[in-house]
């Protein structure tokens, strides 16, 4: 820690933003595309602007023209074969990221010092942002297209660029897509099929937007026909991000000032949530068989699940950090909960998960089956979102097929969902089996768990468990933080977790909370910039001061009152890290227990030795999943 | 949102027991999304009506009912009507003693789907194995009615099924539905025979 401080002092430099000549759409090809689609539109020139001015914070928007083997996206992003091929072509339309999420420490390092920066994210972002009219342009293109398409313009609403505005009221399917309020949503998300058929729109009815989506698809496929892939379009107001996943195209139109990378990872969450309900294999099969299949048939009733996901993505930093938030709990209590779960197993049960107040209490997993695997945070997020949408709180017990896309996008697990504390319904049990016939056996595990909880009075203890307040850290000026260790020391391949206190005053209102999250998102995008990742950022905003720091061991975002000095902030962080170290056992799941065919006799199950007083589950049907 | 049901169960001779050795009746609810299967299940198990979200997968509830001289432990499989879950629905209706095929009297399409469900059940079962009841729900919305009582009844008659219109919202005809399943003399005997094999 000491030396890292050192490191920081030395490498601290004024953030440089040398203009980089780049832009998402300045290849001749793309101009043609633009021209063609926009037809009489005169603004395409705007598209290859920005060679003279840097795009946004330069580090965010550089379009790397690497070959496709840039190590990774935040999540493994299954690229279609064509997708890969195209991105190898050097075109600034296609962008391949370098692996910033994987190894910040292996990246060229830098620090940014922004004391003189404009006060808030949107300001500092927009200072650099210059692709003035391109989103307006795309948007106009889209609108025109649909006008020509239909001769009437529900989507002409899109034709004027909107001003950035706070998120509007929650979505309604029947929202008027021609209304100003529709246009002003902070972030639109559209899902369409390759045939241009609408599948989902976050706001408004997909039907009303079908011509708009058709034009989006036209844009995508036109660029594709030129052996290229459209990735994003920038303007001062909007970022439009395109992502193709198999036969589906996902589009984000955002004025949230998030980085393209962040928006892309959000689109991936949306895609994966769809996969979690249908599986990738069946989506692909369906569209192979019938190119213009209307996927809404299969997704009918699931719009709320996607709506809910997008609201969570906006409001819950778990998604940004790709990490799981667990409820602080005395480690002895957590261990005994794990033991209760471990004792209630049945063949083919692979994960037992206990959740309270939407946060993870503990997770226990079958060992032999998933020797080298762990549950990915993203899979857990999707699962939690689905649970939120289920009516288990009314129904008692739910048994449903569900796919964990990152675990295996092509196969279903069967999830048993039930609350342990009706009628309050705050403690949720989630059991995942690979056997669809196992309902009764799995439901029986729940009875055992119920019993175990009762004898230990565990529900009472869980009810008392609470998140904590930043003030408990005892560091003045520290208002909030998010801390994500890369590996909990004594357990490799641990579920990625983060810890964070409650957001309290001055971040108690919805709006303020969002503002803080936006600041974090901004810091995150700088840290993870593909072109110029940073290790440390000290950012003085108008109403707070933020410090983000990434090392090989952790990623940390802190928020201080504006009065803090740099020296005291650094001092505070040292104290904070010490506090976290001290509280580690309570804040994180340290030893996620595993069971093999039998409940492990001891909680320290990392060694992986399990007794064998239960029947063998080696033939647990799991192999058929792979 | 919940309404208390006007008519008490006592009047109709139904009593509820907490825990008892009972005959197990596996009952499955089938039908399009939104016809009110979960609402019927909730009315049945808790005698409540609440706004509900579309069911994910399948919801499992149990309810013990004392019917005259027998104690029945209903295991209710409230399936999801959404098409994406159809491939797994057989999982739930296999071995059911009673299948309620539900449609919404205000949605003709749901009536058409109900007929498809009936066909599917027919394919799967030897007649007599499963008691099938055709249920037209939302009878509290007569103004929006798209499927007449007569249509429902004659569809049921053609297939030799029981038939009933209900409202999960008002609770109308709910007890009758239960009685129909459990106590129609002819069917009761048949159910009892089936149940004998399943004594818990
Ligand atoms: N007026 C009226 N509304 C009803 C009645 N039963 C259900 N509803 C409403 O119809 C809607 C759908 O009801 P659900 O019970 O969720 O429908 P479902 O058949 O379970 O739907 P899936 O779970 O998607 O298959 C809800 O808004 C209910 O409030 C009824 O008898 N009368
Ligand atoms: Mg339902």
């Amino acid at each position: 820690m000491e030396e890292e401080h050192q490191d920081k002092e030395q490498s601290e430099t004024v953030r440089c933003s040398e203009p980089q000549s780049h832009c998402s759409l300045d290849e001749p090809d793309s101009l043609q595309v633009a021209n063609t689609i926009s037809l009489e539109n005169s603004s395409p020139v705007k598209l290859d602007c920005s060679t003279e001015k840097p795009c946004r914070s330069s580090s965010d928007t550089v379009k790397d023209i690497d070959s496709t083997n840039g190590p990774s996206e935040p999540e493994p992003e299954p690229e279609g074969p064509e997708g890969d091929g195209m991105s190898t072509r050097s075109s600034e339309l296609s962008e391949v990221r370098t692996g910033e999420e994987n190894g910040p420490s292996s990246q060229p390092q830098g620090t940014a010092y922004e004391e003189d920066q404009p006060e808030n994210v949107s300001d500092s972002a927009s200072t650099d942002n210059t692709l003035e009219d391109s989103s307006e342009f795309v948007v106009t293109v889209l609108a025109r297209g649909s006008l020509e398409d239909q001769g009437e313009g529900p989507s002409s609403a899109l034709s004027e660029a909107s001003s950035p505005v706070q998120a509007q009221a929650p979505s309604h399917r029947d929202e008027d897509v021609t209304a100003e309020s529709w246009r002003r949503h902070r972030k639109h998300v559209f899902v369409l099929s390759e045939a241009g058929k609408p599948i989902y729109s976050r706001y408004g009815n997909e039907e009303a937007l079908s011509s708009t989506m058709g034009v989006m698809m036209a844009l995508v496929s036109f660029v594709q026909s030129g052996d290229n892939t459209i990735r994003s379009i920038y303007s001062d107001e909007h970022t439009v991000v395109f992502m193709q996943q198999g036969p589906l195209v996902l589009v984000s139109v955002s004025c949230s000032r998030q980085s393209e990378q962040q928006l892309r990872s959000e689109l991936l969450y949306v895609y994966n949530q769809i996969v979690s309900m249908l599986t990738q294999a069946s989506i692909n099969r369906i569209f192979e068989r019938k190119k213009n299949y209307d996927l809404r048939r299969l997704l009918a009733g699931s719009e709320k699940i996607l709506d809910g996901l997008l609201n969570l993505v906006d409001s819950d930093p778990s998604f940004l950090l790709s990490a799981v938030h667990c409820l602080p709990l005395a480690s002895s209590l957590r261990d005994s909960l794990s033991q209760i779960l471990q004792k209630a197993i049945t063949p083919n049960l692979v994960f037992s998960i206990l959740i309270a107040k939407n946060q993870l209490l503990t997770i226990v997993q079958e060992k032999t089956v998933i020797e080298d695997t762990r549950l990915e945070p993203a899979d857990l997020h999707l699962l939690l979102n689905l649970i939120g949408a289920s009516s288990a709180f009314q129904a008692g017990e739910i048994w449903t097929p569900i796919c964990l896309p990152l675990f295996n996008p092509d196969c279903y697990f069967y999830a048993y969902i039930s609350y342990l504390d009706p009628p309050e319904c705050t403690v949720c049990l989630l059991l995942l089996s690979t056997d669809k016939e196992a309902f009764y056996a799995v439901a029986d595990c729940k009875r055992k768990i119920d019993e175990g909880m009762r004898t230990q009075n565990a529900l009472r203890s869980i009810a008392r468990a609470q998140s904590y307040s930043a003030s408990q850290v005892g560091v003045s000026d520290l208002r909030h933080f998010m801390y994500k260790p890369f590996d909990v020391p004594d357990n490799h391949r641990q579920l990625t977790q983060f810890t964070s206190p409650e957001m309290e005053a001055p971040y108690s209102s919805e709006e303020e909370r969002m503002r803080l999250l936006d600041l974090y998102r901004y810091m995150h995008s700088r840290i993870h910039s593909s072109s110029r990742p940073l290790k440390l950022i000290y950012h003085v905003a108008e109403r707070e001061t933020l410090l983000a720091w990434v090392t090989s061991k952790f990623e940390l975002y802190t928020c201080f009152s504006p009065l803090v000095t740099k020296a005291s902030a650094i001092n505070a962080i040292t104290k904070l890290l010490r506090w976290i170290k001290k509280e580690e056992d309570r804040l994180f799941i340290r030893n996620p227990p595993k069971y093999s065919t039998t409940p492990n006799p001891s909680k320290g199950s990392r060694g992986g030795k399990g007794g064998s007083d239960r029947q063998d589950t080696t033939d647990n049907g799991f192999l058929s999943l792979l | 949102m919940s309404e208390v049901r006007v008519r008490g169960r006592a009047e109709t001779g139904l009593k509820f027991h907490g825990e008892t050795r009972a005959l197990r009746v596996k009952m499955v609810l089938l039908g399009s999304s939104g016809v009110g299967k979960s609402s019927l299940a909730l009315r049945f198990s808790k005698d409540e009506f609440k706004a509900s979200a579309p069911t994910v997968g399948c919801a499992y509830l149990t309810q013990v009912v004392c019917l005259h001289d027998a104690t029945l432990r209903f295991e209710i499989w409230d399936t999801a009507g959404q098409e994406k879950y159809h491939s797994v629905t057989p999982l739930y209706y296999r071995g059911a003693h009673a299948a309620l095929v539900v449609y919404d009297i205000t949605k003709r399409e749901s009536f058409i789907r109900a007929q498809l469900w009936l066909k599917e059940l027919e394919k799967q079962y030897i007649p007599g194995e499963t008691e099938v009841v055709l249920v037209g729900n939302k009878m509290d919305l007569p103004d929006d009615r798209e499927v007449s009582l007569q249509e429902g009844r004659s569809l049921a008659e053609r297939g030799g099924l029981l038939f009933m219109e209900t409202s999960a919202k008002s609770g109308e005809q709910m007890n009758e539905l239960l009685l129909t399943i459990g106590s129609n003399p002819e069917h009761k005997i048949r159910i009892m025979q089936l149940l004998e094999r399943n004594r818990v």
Side-chain angles (χ1 to χ4, degrees), chain A residues 277-278 293 297-302 304-305 386 389-391 393-401 412 414 417 436-437 439-440 443 447, chain B residues 24 26 33 38 42 45-46 50-62 73 75 77-78 82-85 87-88 91-92 94:
Chain A
M277 298 184 273
L278 303 177
Y293 183 84
R297 262 182 70 180
L298 289 180
L299 285 177
S302 305
K304 284 213 183 83
I305 291 173
L386 197 86
S390 78
S391 49
F393 56 91
Q394 283 186 343
E397 292 157 275
I398 296 281
W399 183 244
T400 183
Y412 280 122
Y414 290 81
I417 308 166
K436 62 181 174 195
E437 311 273 356
F439 174 81
Y440 288 104
R447 320 264 175 265
Chain B
R24 189 175 143 262
K26 180 174 172 184
S33 186
S38 300
L42 188 67
S45 59
K46 300 219 179 95
K50 271 192 218 156
S52 63
T55 304
V56 168
C58 186
Y60 175 81
L61 310 96
T62 56
R73 183 169 183 271
E75 292 184 358
W77 290 87
D78 167 25
Q82 289 170 37
E83 195 173 325
K84 64 171 167 283
Y85 294 115
S87 55
V88 290
L91 206 62
Y92 312 120
R94 212 182 301 136

Side-chain angles (χ1 to χ4, degrees), chain A residues 367 371 490-491 592 594 600 602-610:
Chain A
K367 186 181 150 295
E371 194 62 55
D490 54 349
N491 199 330
K594 295 184 178 178
N600 271 317
S602 71
K603 59 179 177 178
S605 53
R606 283 175 302 118
K609 45 208 155 277

Side-chain angles (χ1 to χ4, degrees), chain B:
Chain B
M1 263 298 198
S2 84
E3 288 170 29
V4 180
R5 176 131 144 252
V6 200
R7 203 155 5 142
R9 289 192 193 265
E11 289 171 43
T12 55
L14 296 180
K15 271 191 222 122
F16 290 78
H17 279 207
E19 195 89 28
T20 175
R21 281 167 57 89
L23 295 169
R24 189 175 143 262
V25 185
K26 180 174 172 184
M27 179 166 98
V28 62
L29 289 151
L30 302 168
S32 304
S33 186
V35 296
K37 297 179 296 300
S38 300
S39 305
L40 286 169
L42 188 67
R43 173 62 80 190
F44 182 33
S45 59
K46 300 219 179 95
D47 202 11
E48 284 176 353
F49 181 79
K50 271 192 218 156
S52 63
T55 304
V56 168
C58 186
Y60 175 81
L61 310 96
T62 56
Q63 177 64 282
V64 175
V65 176
C66 241
L67 194 67
H68 308 305
D69 49 342
T71 304
L72 304 181
R73 183 169 183 271
F74 277 93
E75 292 184 358
I76 305 163
W77 290 87
D78 167 25
T79 66
Q82 289 170 37
E83 195 173 325
K84 64 171 167 283
Y85 294 115
H86 282 188
S87 55
V88 290
T89 313
L91 206 62
Y92 312 120
Y93 63 66
R94 212 182 301 136
H97 301 112
L100 271 55
V101 175
V102 187
Y103 65 91
D104 174 349
I105 63 152
T106 69
K107 297 242 157 55
R108 173 149 299 272
E109 216 213 304
S110 71
F111 186 62
I112 294 162
R113 277 227 74 93
Q115 299 173 36
L116 295 176
W117 277 117
L118 291 175
K119 283 219 182 74
E120 182 158 341
L121 280 175
E122 247 168 55
K123 261 190 287 173
Q124 305 274 337
Y125 293 101
I126 316 138
E129 276 290 296
T130 306
E131 200 62 61
V132 180
V133 188
L134 182 66
V135 179
N137 189 39
K138 308 201 187 178
M139 66 179 290
D140 57 292
L141 300 171
D143 295 346
D144 302 327
R145 183 187 277 278
E146 286 183 6
V147 182
S148 73
L149 181 68
Q150 192 46 48
E151 274 175 288
R153 186 174 288 149
S154 51
L155 174 64
E157 268 165 17
R158 256 178 283 145
L161 316 170
L162 300 171
F163 174 70
M164 186 110 283
E165 278 195 355
T166 57
S167 167
K169 186 173 184 182
S170 68
E172 253 173 294
Q173 296 287 91
M174 283 295 296
N175 287 333
E176 286 74 2
L177 176 62
L178 285 187
L179 288 169
T180 305
I181 297 165
S183 74
N184 175 319
E186 194 183 319
H187 295 116
K188 187 181 165 193
I189 293 162
R190 216 194 295 161
I191 287 181
M192 288 305 171
Q193 283 167 348
L194 286 171
L195 293 176
E196 279 308 311
R197 296 190 224 136
N198 287 294
R199 206 173 259 285
V200 196

Side-chain angles (χ1 to χ4, degrees), chain A residues 29 32-34 36-37 217-227:
Chain A
D29 254 15
Q32 252 179 10
V33 171
T36 313
I37 296 186
M217 193 54 229
L219 193 59
V220 169
S221 39
F222 195 92
V223 177
Q224 226 160 46
S225 69
D227 249 357

